[in-house]
Amino acid sequence: MRLLVVRLSALGDVAILEPVLRQRAAANPDVLFMVAGPPRLEPLFRGMGNVLYVPTERKQKIIDLYHSLRELKPDMVADMHHVLRVIGVDWLFRLHGVKVKSIRKHTRRDVPSWQRYDRVFARCGLKGEVADEGYWQVKPAEGRQRVIGVAPFAQHQGKIWPLERMESLIETLSRKGYKVWLFGSGAEAAVMERWEDKYKDVESLAGKYTFEEELQRIAALDVMVSMDSANMHFASCLGIPVVSIWGATHPCRGFYGWRQNPDWAVQREMDCRPCSKYGNKPCKMGDYPCLTSISPTDVMERIESVVL
């Protein structure tokens, strides 16, 4: 069977698909999984013999997207996205006799995204239900310097810890003898380069490496510190423990990292949380107390509870 798997954005949501797809692909060697996803993420899906990654731009007209995907000649479509443009493509595939199974987004809020993906594969008739096999563990130190990754940014303000607090955390990590690698985009590089210049054993990777090279650096970490962002999911795909900092969003909404211990999430339980699913709504309090109430000491203690 030729199965077209569609998940065009966002980067973190596509990354959540990777471990589920990897297990389903291994359990169904007779199926060719054709994954339509963001061009940047192709390296994340390498190494699976029966997976063909199809770099697909998200901003296409429905008819153009359908024509490009129809060339793959799928026997069935697994719609893991189910936004308007993909729903239109689904309709065209059904019109031409191709079966489509779509993700059900409006089931219980606490169902993890990876489990929603796996249920679509089950409805496609695939073998090998995916199981969450316990939490990732930190690698033994064996006398070497521990390496902590820090990804201080996210797509929306409601998910970004105040930068002065992040800098204080980085200063503490440096002073305590950790090596720190900073992850982010080229647009965010200036902030991280200032931290690189100020503190010992701190290196900014922002804008300097390809995505494939960044994945190699993430795989070499002991722990990743991130917001509710794509870097949490990239690290999860590579088996790296993540200390994540949460504000407007909440792990219970299903977007927590694959096989990450819930105790590693740093957050304040507040009546107003979560105020949005994606962290893109203005704070009713005005100053994001969900984030400002988290101290560098809180995060440092959580990091050391993982590595020590």
Side-chain angles (χ1 to χ4, degrees), residues 134-170:
Y135 307 134
W136 297 123
Q137 301 295 318
V138 70
K139 294 171 284 192
E142 298 178 343
R144 61 178 174 79
Q145 186 180 22
R146 290 284 195 188
V147 185
I148 310 298
V150 177
F153 292 95
Q155 187 174 5
H156 301 295
Q157 186 62 38
K159 300 198 289 186
I160 301 176
W161 196 37
L163 292 182
E164 66 273 11
R165 300 193 179 202
M166 182 61 80
E167 181 175 356
S168 178
L169 175 69
I170 290 166

Side-chain angles (χ1 to χ4, degrees), residues 202-255:
V202 173
E203 178 185 359
S204 172
L205 280 62
K208 297 179 182 178
Y209 297 94
T210 66
F211 180 61
E212 184 174 9
E213 291 168 334
E214 282 193 6
L215 291 178
Q216 292 170 358
R217 298 293 289 262
I218 291 173
L221 297 174
D222 290 293
V223 173
M224 170 68 86
V225 178
S226 82
M227 309 300 101
D228 171 17
S229 68
N231 279 290
M232 172 176 62
H233 300 296
F234 298 153
S236 298
C237 290
L238 298 168
I240 303 302
V242 178
V243 171
S244 51
I245 302 170
W246 296 75
T249 57
H250 197 289
C252 74
R253 285 294 182 93
F255 297 105

Side-chain angles (χ1 to χ4, degrees), residues 84-104:
L84 183 60
R85 61 186 175 279
V86 181
I87 292 170
V89 170
D90 293 346
W91 183 83
L92 289 168
F93 271 118
R94 289 190 178 104
L95 188 64
H96 290 87
V98 178
K99 291 183 179 180
V100 177
K101 303 297 180 182
S102 301
I103 193 168
R104 294 169 180 168

Side-chain angles (χ1 to χ4, degrees), residues 20-247:
V20 180
L21 180 71
R22 188 172 293 276
Q23 291 192 41
R24 285 289 188 174
N28 297 269
D30 55 332
V31 176
L32 175 62
F33 294 80
M34 302 174 292
V35 183
R40 182 187 175 197
L41 296 194
E42 185 273 334
L44 196 63
F45 289 82
R46 289 180 187 165
M48 294 178 267
N50 55 329
V51 173
L52 172 65
Y53 195 82
V54 184
T56 307
E57 298 293 343
R58 56 180 295 191
K59 294 184 179 179
Q60 296 184 61
K61 294 180 180 178
I62 290 173
I63 192 65
D64 294 335
L65 180 58
Y66 168 70
H67 283 309
S68 66
L69 297 178
R70 185 181 64 175
E71 293 179 1
L72 299 171
K73 299 180 180 179
D75 300 305
M76 185 178 291
V77 177
D79 172 7
M80 305 294 190
H81 203 168
H82 213 56
V83 293
L84 183 60
R85 61 186 175 279
V86 181
I87 292 170
V89 170
D90 293 346
W91 183 83
L92 289 168
F93 271 118
R94 289 190 178 104
L95 188 64
H96 290 87
V98 178
K99 291 183 179 180
V100 177
K101 303 297 180 182
S102 301
I103 193 168
R104 294 169 180 168
K105 291 185 173 181
H106 302 295
T107 53
R108 287 171 44 194
R109 291 179 175 179
D110 59 348
V111 176
S113 289
W114 69 264
Q115 199 169 79
R116 296 179 195 269
Y117 293 152
D118 196 51
R119 289 174 179 177
V120 179
F121 285 135
R123 286 189 281 114
C124 289
L126 301 183
K127 296 177 290 187
E129 180 180 359
V130 173
D132 193 343
E133 300 172 343
Y135 307 134
W136 297 123
Q137 301 295 318
V138 70
K139 294 171 284 192
E142 298 178 343
R144 61 178 174 79
Q145 186 180 22
R146 290 284 195 188
V147 185
I148 310 298
V150 177
F153 292 95
Q155 187 174 5
H156 301 295
Q157 186 62 38
K159 300 198 289 186
I160 301 176
W161 196 37
L163 292 182
E164 66 273 11
R165 300 193 179 202
M166 182 61 80
E167 181 175 356
S168 178
L169 175 69
I170 290 166
E171 187 275 333
T172 301
L173 287 167
S174 172
R175 176 168 45 81
K176 288 195 170 190
Y178 294 96
K179 183 180 291 186
V180 180
W181 292 345
L182 305 175
F183 294 84
S185 69
E188 300 153 353
V191 172
M192 288 180 272
E193 286 169 1
R194 288 200 299 271
W195 296 342
E196 179 182 50
D197 292 339
K198 286 177 69 173
Y199 304 111
K200 180 183 177 183
D201 286 334
V202 173
E203 178 185 359
S204 172
L205 280 62
K208 297 179 182 178
Y209 297 94
T210 66
F211 180 61
E212 184 174 9
E213 291 168 334
E214 282 193 6
L215 291 178
Q216 292 170 358
R217 298 293 289 262
I218 291 173
L221 297 174
D222 290 293
V223 173
M224 170 68 86
V225 178
S226 82
M227 309 300 101
D228 171 17
S229 68
N231 279 290
M232 172 176 62
H233 300 296
F234 298 153
S236 298
C237 290
L238 298 168
I240 303 302
V242 178
V243 171
S244 51
I245 302 170
W246 296 75

